[in-house]
Amino acid sequence: MRFCILTIYPEMFPGVLGHALAGAALREGRWSMEVRNIRDYALDKHRTVDDTPYGGGAGMVMKPQVLADAIDDAQRWMPEARLMFMTPRGHVLQQAHIHAWMHDDHVQDYIILCGRFEGIDERIIDVYQPIEVSIGDYVLFGGEVAAQVVMEAMVRHHRGVLGNQQTTDEESFALGAENACLLEYPHYTKPPLWNGRSVPEVLLSGHHQHIHAWRWAQAERVTELRRKDLWEAYCAQRGKTT
Ligand code: ADE
């Protein structure tokens, strides 16, 4: 899996992805990342990448030609790549997107465009039709942190990065296998009694069926309490009443 990142802050990468399991997998060559500075495609001596918006208003807009040159160059290098643009206006990222992208055997390459300022010239979106991705309904200074969120979610799903595949199969948004819709059940570790609080008896029983049933019930309870949207989807899928 290869990423090409287009940003005006290349020094922000690999960022969190240079550490822990993602960092180890990067060093082992299980995934790779090339970071390109959009300013390198500016033609003036000040390396300008932004300009004032037509129609007025606050902030600056990233100029189309600089972005087009950066994208064209990346696409020459990775002709089959999926192009993504990080923006709060995009589709809000879901585990199902990660799953779909990771299971598309034809695409192993991703070009991720990180916006800054008020945004990018809309004609870039018209021409290149990137997948517009948001990591949530809030506004960051730019797309760099958001790109790292997307990349981390993809890298941890990548074959061989997590030793124990069960870990990704059983966590939040994956319980229930193909159709992910429950939050994760609570976890406990040693000691069995801490600060006057004990670990639920069933988890100490060694009875796998009972443990599984308890975890499933807990996942249902926490989902119903916290996420009505997921709970309703889960119930609808199973013909269960909410
Ligand atoms: N850029 C700024 N805010 C963002 C968000 N919420 N998601 C993706 N990219 C962004």
Side-chain angles (χ1 to χ4, degrees):
M1 189 169 52
R2 303 189 298 177
F3 294 98
C4 177
I5 316 298
L6 306 178
T7 170
I8 57 166
Y9 292 111
E11 63 280 7
M12 288 186 178
F13 291 86
V16 293
L17 300 173
H19 301 268
L21 283 177
L26 179 61
R27 288 184 289 278
E28 284 163 13
R30 292 184 192 276
W31 66 282
S32 69
M33 189 193 63
E34 163 139 341
V35 188
R36 296 194 175 171
N37 191 342
I38 296 169
R39 280 196 198 282
D40 290 346
Y41 297 88
L43 298 173
D44 63 320
K45 70 170 190 242
H46 300 295
R47 312 210 317 148
T48 310
V49 293
D50 60 328
D51 209 334
T52 51
Y54 276 121
M60 301 290 272
V61 175
M62 293 182 91
K63 289 158 71 70
Q65 192 56 53
V66 189
L67 292 174
D69 289 345
I71 297 170
D72 287 346
D73 202 22
Q75 287 185 333
R76 268 192 294 277
W77 178 51
M78 285 180 169
E80 307 294 329
R82 189 171 268 138
L83 176 63
M84 295 183 186
F85 169 46
M86 304 311 304
T87 165
R89 220 179 69 170
H91 302 282
V92 178
L93 186 70
Q94 309 284 339
Q95 188 67 27
H97 298 134
I98 303 292
H99 204 259
W101 296 331
M102 296 304 295
H103 286 84
D104 180 348
D105 291 335
H106 303 294
V107 184
Q108 288 286 307
D109 295 341
Y110 302 86
I111 298 167
I112 307 185
L113 173 62
C114 302
R116 280 269 152 180
F117 314 109
E118 281 308 295
I120 69 174
D121 190 300
E122 188 70 16
R123 291 166 291 184
I124 287 295
I125 298 183
D126 298 340
V127 171
Y128 291 94
Q129 311 224 322
I131 306 174
E132 294 178 70
V133 182
S134 163
I135 59 161
D137 291 335
Y138 39 81
V139 183
L140 306 170
F141 281 126
E144 286 76 8
V145 168
Q148 289 181 29
V149 168
V150 172
M151 291 163 72
E152 179 160 332
M154 292 176 73
V155 164
R156 76 186 292 282
H157 228 78
H158 193 52
R159 221 170 296 112
V161 172
L162 275 184
N164 181 2
Q165 191 53 37
Q166 221 186 347
T167 320
T168 48
D169 289 344
E170 278 192 7
E171 68 198 350
S172 291
F173 301 106
L175 199 71
E178 351 53 268
N179 286 305
C181 25
L182 290 181
L183 297 180
E184 209 167 350
Y185 52 78
H187 300 282
Y188 297 87
T189 186
K190 294 178 201 69
L193 184 66
W194 176 79
N195 260 8
R197 293 170 179 273
S198 52
V199 171
E201 202 63 42
V202 61
L203 298 179
L204 310 175
S205 69
H207 193 302
H208 293 296
Q209 262 175 320
H210 289 180
I211 292 171
H212 183 76
W214 180 86
R215 285 180 166 165
W216 199 283
Q218 291 291 318
E220 288 190 339
R221 188 186 63 90
V222 76
T223 307
E224 184 180 8
L225 276 175
R226 294 185 186 176
R227 293 287 301 271
K228 287 281 174 246
D229 56 332
L230 294 177
W231 179 244
E232 278 163 20
Y234 172 79
C235 290
Q237 193 186 85
R238 282 160 193 255
K240 227 171 130 107
T241 45
T242 51

